[in-house]
Amino acid sequence: MRTVRTATEMQQVALSHKVGLVPTMGAFHEGHLSLMRAARAECASVVVSLFVNPTQFAANEDLELYPRDEERDARLATEVGVDVLFVPSAEELYPEGFATWVDVEEAGGEAAARPGHLRGVATVCVKLFNIVRPDVAFFGQKDAQQAAVLRRVVRDLNVDVELRVLPTVRDADGLALSSRNVYLSTAERAEALALPRALETGRSAHVQGSDPIAAARAALNGLEPDYVEVIDVGDARVLAAAARVGSTRLIDNVVLEGELR
Ligand code: AMP
């Protein structure tokens, strides 16, 4: 596996068609690896970007604390058969005078809870699409609204890339894998299980014809939600929630209707 650190070098790497891109912030877990394996199965060249994108963090968020271990990530990516690990610096992607943003008009959910977050995500992904020029880019259902926003960006700006959205990988007890789970103490890890359980309760309520949001809220077991909302993601409708466990903010969602693709 080759590691590339500049946009210019990345644009010059000879990749064979079809090219798959998996954008990540690193600290790989099985969720990331499942996207890389899907890319490996479908594409001739697989590029994984590893970039803790500062523009998607607000000033009071965990940018500095965010787990980083490039050596371990490179080893895991090599094992999965990734061809190129693209690891740009913040200065490389946001040079002095950077002033152009991809700002999707999105309401609710993460857009309301984290102002500027989705703008940072959309902007960095368009930059990565332009630098890597993938035919296909792979995202996780775990960040369903991010996938929805990127579908809008690709459609609205005529970006020539196909998007795939793959199912959320969970621990055996149901907690969605997340790089942020390392912040949780043992007690918090146990408390956090209320989030997937509440979403499952909401999903069952929906199946029985009652309000999934009310049912999920009632089952949060004391967790403080930022929101519990129904969000459309492409052809699917998901019940999504964000909640704080101690100082850690977790998000999760379950599909209510349709299929994520
Ligand atoms: P991140 O490094 O957290 O920005 O995530 C990079 C990609 O991995 C995003 O498309 C996420 O949606 C996806 N991802 C994160 N956690 C999971 C998970 N538990 N299952 C599947 N995909 C995930």
Side-chain angles (χ1 to χ4, degrees), residues 149-204:
V149 159
L150 291 169
R151 285 216 187 279
R152 294 265 288 281
V153 168
V154 164
R155 188 199 62 183
D156 292 352
L157 300 182
N158 306 91
V159 182
D160 193 12
V161 63
E162 274 182 57
L163 303 186
R164 303 266 185 274
V165 181
L166 287 124
T168 302
V169 178
R170 299 176 180 280
D171 266 334
D173 58 8
L175 189 68
L177 298 185
S178 164
S179 306
R180 290 191 166 96
N181 290 354
V182 299
Y183 300 150
L184 299 171
S185 67
T186 311
E188 288 171 342
R189 174 76 186 57
E191 276 175 56
L193 282 179
L195 180 58
R197 286 179 184 160
L199 289 169
E200 222 20 79
T201 303
R203 204 183 59 77
S204 306

Side-chain angles (χ1 to χ4, degrees), residues 23-26 29 31-32 35 66 139-140 142-143 146 167-169 177:
T24 82
M25 299 206 301
H29 50 64
H32 298 112
L35 303 184
Y66 199 84
F139 295 91
K142 159 87 177 3
D143 300 273
Q146 164 176 301
T168 302
V169 178
L177 298 185

